[in-house]
Amino acid sequence: MITLPATTTVMMDGISESFDPGVERTEMERGVPKQRIVNTRVMAKIKASFYFETVAAADEFEDWYFDTLKRIGWFKFRNPRNGRELMVRFEGGSIGELTLIDDAAFDSKRTVVMEYLR
Protein backbone atom coordinates (compact mmCIF):
# COMPACT_ATOMS: atom_id res chain seq x y z
CA MET A 1 0.00 0.00 0.00
CA ILE A 2 1.38 3.41 -1.00
CA THR A 3 1.84 6.01 1.76
CA LEU A 4 3.30 9.52 1.86
CA PRO A 5 7.09 9.72 2.15
CA ALA A 6 8.33 9.84 5.76
CA THR A 7 9.92 13.26 5.14
CA THR A 8 6.52 14.81 4.24
CA THR A 9 4.75 16.44 7.19
CA VAL A 10 1.09 17.46 7.16
CA MET A 11 0.69 21.02 8.50
CA MET A 12 -2.28 21.34 10.85
CA ASP A 13 -2.77 25.02 10.03
CA GLY A 14 -5.29 25.53 7.21
CA ILE A 15 -6.72 22.02 6.94
CA SER A 16 -10.29 22.02 5.63
CA GLU A 17 -12.77 19.36 4.57
CA SER A 18 -15.75 19.48 2.23
CA PHE A 19 -17.92 17.15 0.18
CA ASP A 20 -20.42 17.18 -2.65
CA PRO A 21 -23.75 16.12 -1.07
CA GLY A 22 -24.83 14.21 -4.19
CA VAL A 23 -28.32 15.76 -4.13
CA GLU A 24 -30.37 16.83 -7.13
CA ARG A 25 -32.58 19.84 -6.49
CA THR A 26 -35.60 20.69 -8.65
CA GLU A 27 -37.13 24.13 -8.28
CA MET A 28 -40.93 24.16 -8.26
CA GLU A 29 -43.23 26.88 -9.59
CA ARG A 30 -44.82 27.06 -6.18
CA GLY A 31 -43.78 25.63 -2.89
CA VAL A 32 -40.66 24.02 -1.59
CA PRO A 33 -38.07 22.71 -4.10
CA LYS A 34 -37.89 18.92 -4.38
CA GLN A 35 -34.66 17.13 -3.57
CA ARG A 36 -33.50 13.58 -4.15
CA ILE A 37 -30.32 11.69 -3.45
CA VAL A 38 -28.36 10.98 -6.63
CA ASN A 39 -25.42 8.94 -5.30
CA THR A 40 -25.13 6.64 -2.30
CA ARG A 41 -21.46 7.58 -1.87
CA VAL A 42 -20.09 11.08 -2.29
CA MET A 43 -16.69 12.51 -3.17
CA ALA A 44 -15.16 14.23 -0.14
CA LYS A 45 -12.15 16.56 -0.22
CA ILE A 46 -9.40 17.47 2.21
CA LYS A 47 -7.35 20.60 1.61
CA ALA A 48 -4.01 20.50 3.40
CA SER A 49 -0.45 21.78 3.22
CA PHE A 50 2.56 19.47 3.15
CA TYR A 51 5.71 20.78 4.84
CA PHE A 52 9.22 19.89 3.67
CA GLU A 53 12.07 20.65 6.06
CA THR A 54 14.82 20.34 3.44
CA VAL A 55 15.32 20.60 -0.29
CA ALA A 56 15.93 16.83 -0.32
CA ALA A 57 12.54 16.24 1.34
CA ALA A 58 10.76 18.31 -1.33
CA ASP A 59 12.64 16.44 -4.07
CA GLU A 60 11.77 13.09 -2.46
CA PHE A 61 8.08 14.03 -2.52
CA GLU A 62 8.26 14.92 -6.22
CA ASP A 63 10.04 11.63 -6.99
CA TRP A 64 7.36 9.74 -5.03
CA TYR A 65 4.62 11.62 -6.92
CA PHE A 66 6.03 10.88 -10.39
CA ASP A 67 7.64 7.46 -9.90
CA THR A 68 5.63 5.68 -7.20
CA LEU A 69 2.19 7.31 -7.35
CA LYS A 70 2.35 7.90 -11.11
CA ARG A 71 0.47 11.22 -10.55
CA ILE A 72 -3.06 9.73 -10.42
CA GLY A 73 -2.70 6.83 -7.99
CA TRP A 74 -4.43 6.26 -4.66
CA PHE A 75 -2.50 6.29 -1.39
CA LYS A 76 -3.12 5.84 2.33
CA PHE A 77 -3.57 9.06 4.30
CA ARG A 78 -4.42 9.49 7.96
CA ASN A 79 -7.01 12.22 8.44
CA PRO A 80 -5.46 14.61 11.01
CA ARG A 81 -8.89 15.62 12.33
CA ASN A 82 -10.13 12.19 13.42
CA GLY A 83 -7.23 9.80 12.86
CA ARG A 84 -9.10 7.67 10.31
CA GLU A 85 -7.03 6.06 7.60
CA LEU A 86 -8.35 6.93 4.13
CA MET A 87 -7.53 5.95 0.57
CA VAL A 88 -7.11 9.28 -1.22
CA ARG A 89 -5.78 10.71 -4.46
CA PHE A 90 -4.85 14.22 -5.55
CA GLU A 91 -7.75 16.07 -7.15
CA GLY A 92 -7.07 16.27 -10.88
CA GLY A 93 -3.61 14.79 -10.26
CA SER A 94 -2.41 18.23 -9.11
CA ILE A 95 0.02 18.79 -6.23
CA GLY A 96 -0.06 22.59 -6.40
CA GLU A 97 2.89 24.96 -6.32
CA LEU A 98 6.01 24.53 -4.22
CA THR A 99 6.29 27.63 -2.02
CA LEU A 100 9.42 28.60 -0.11
CA ILE A 101 8.87 29.40 3.55
CA ASP A 102 12.21 31.00 4.43
CA ASP A 103 14.84 33.03 2.60
CA ALA A 104 17.44 30.27 2.80
CA ALA A 105 15.19 28.10 0.57
CA PHE A 106 15.39 25.08 2.86
CA ASP A 107 11.82 24.99 4.21
CA SER A 108 9.01 24.72 1.69
CA LYS A 109 5.38 23.65 1.42
CA ARG A 110 2.73 22.57 -1.06
CA THR A 111 -1.01 23.12 -0.65
CA VAL A 112 -2.89 20.16 -2.08
CA VAL A 113 -6.46 18.94 -2.39
CA MET A 114 -7.02 15.23 -1.82
CA GLU A 115 -10.26 13.46 -2.63
CA TYR A 116 -11.83 10.21 -1.47
CA LEU A 117 -15.13 8.36 -1.61
CA ARG A 118 -17.18 8.69 1.55
Side-chain angles (χ1 to χ4, degrees), residues 4 15 18 43-44 61 64 68 90 97 110:
L4 282 171
I15 289 181
S18 65
M43 193 63 85
F61 177 79
W64 170 84
T68 304
F90 294 115
E97 294 180 358
R110 284 186 184 275

Coordinates of all heavy atoms in Angstrom, one line a residue, residues 4 15 18 43-44 61 64 68 90 97 110:
L4 N 2.5 8.3 2.1 CA 3.3 9.5 1.9 C 4.7 9.2 2.3 O 5.0 8.4 3.2 CB 2.8 10.7 2.7 CG 1.6 11.4 2.2 CD1 1.1 12.4 3.2 CD2 1.9 12.2 0.9
I15 N -6.0 23.2 7.4 CA -6.7 22.0 6.9 C -8.2 22.3 6.9 O -8.8 22.9 7.8 CB -6.4 20.8 7.8 CG1 -5.0 20.4 7.7 CG2 -7.4 19.7 7.5 CD1 -4.6 19.2 8.5
S18 N -14.5 19.2 2.9 CA -15.8 19.5 2.2 C -16.2 18.2 1.5 O -15.4 17.3 1.3 CB -15.6 20.7 1.3 OG -14.8 20.4 0.2
M43 N -18.1 12.2 -3.1 CA -16.7 12.5 -3.2 C -16.4 13.6 -2.1 O -17.0 14.7 -2.2 CB -16.3 13.0 -4.6 CG -14.8 13.1 -4.8 SD -14.0 11.5 -4.7 CE -14.2 10.9 -6.3
A44 N -15.6 13.3 -1.2 CA -15.2 14.2 -0.1 C -13.8 14.7 -0.5 O -13.0 14.1 -1.1 CB -15.2 13.6 1.2
F61 N 9.5 14.0 -2.3 CA 8.1 14.0 -2.5 C 7.8 14.0 -4.0 O 6.9 13.3 -4.5 CB 7.4 15.2 -1.8 CG 6.0 15.3 -2.1 CD1 5.1 14.5 -1.4 CD2 5.5 16.2 -3.1 CE1 3.7 14.6 -1.7 CE2 4.1 16.3 -3.3 CZ 3.2 15.5 -2.6
W64 N 8.4 10.6 -5.4 CA 7.4 9.7 -5.0 C 6.1 10.0 -5.9 O 5.5 9.0 -6.4 CB 7.1 10.0 -3.5 CG 5.8 9.3 -3.0 CD1 5.7 8.0 -2.6 CD2 4.5 9.9 -2.9 NE1 4.4 7.8 -2.2 CE2 3.7 8.9 -2.4 CE3 4.0 11.2 -3.2 CZ2 2.3 9.1 -2.1 CZ3 2.6 11.4 -2.9 CH2 1.8 10.4 -2.4
T68 N 6.4 6.7 -8.0 CA 5.6 5.7 -7.2 C 4.1 5.8 -7.4 O 3.4 4.9 -7.7 CB 6.0 5.8 -5.7 OG1 7.4 5.7 -5.5 CG2 5.2 4.7 -4.9
F90 N -4.9 12.8 -5.4 CA -4.8 14.2 -5.6 C -5.9 14.6 -6.6 O -6.0 14.0 -7.7 CB -3.5 14.7 -6.0 CG -2.4 14.5 -5.0 CD1 -1.4 13.6 -5.2 CD2 -2.4 15.2 -3.8 CE1 -0.4 13.4 -4.2 CE2 -1.5 15.0 -2.8 CZ -0.4 14.1 -3.0
E97 N 1.6 24.3 -6.2 CA 2.9 25.0 -6.3 C 3.8 24.7 -5.1 O 3.2 24.7 -4.0 CB 2.7 26.5 -6.5 CG 2.0 26.9 -7.8 CD 1.9 28.4 -7.9 OE1 2.3 29.1 -7.0 OE2 1.4 28.8 -9.0
R110 N 3.7 22.7 0.1 CA 2.7 22.6 -1.1 C 1.3 22.5 -0.5 O 1.1 21.7 0.5 CB 3.0 21.3 -1.9 CG 4.1 21.3 -2.8 CD 4.2 20.0 -3.6 NE 5.4 20.0 -4.4 CZ 5.5 20.6 -5.6 NH1 4.5 21.3 -6.1 NH2 6.6 20.6 -6.3

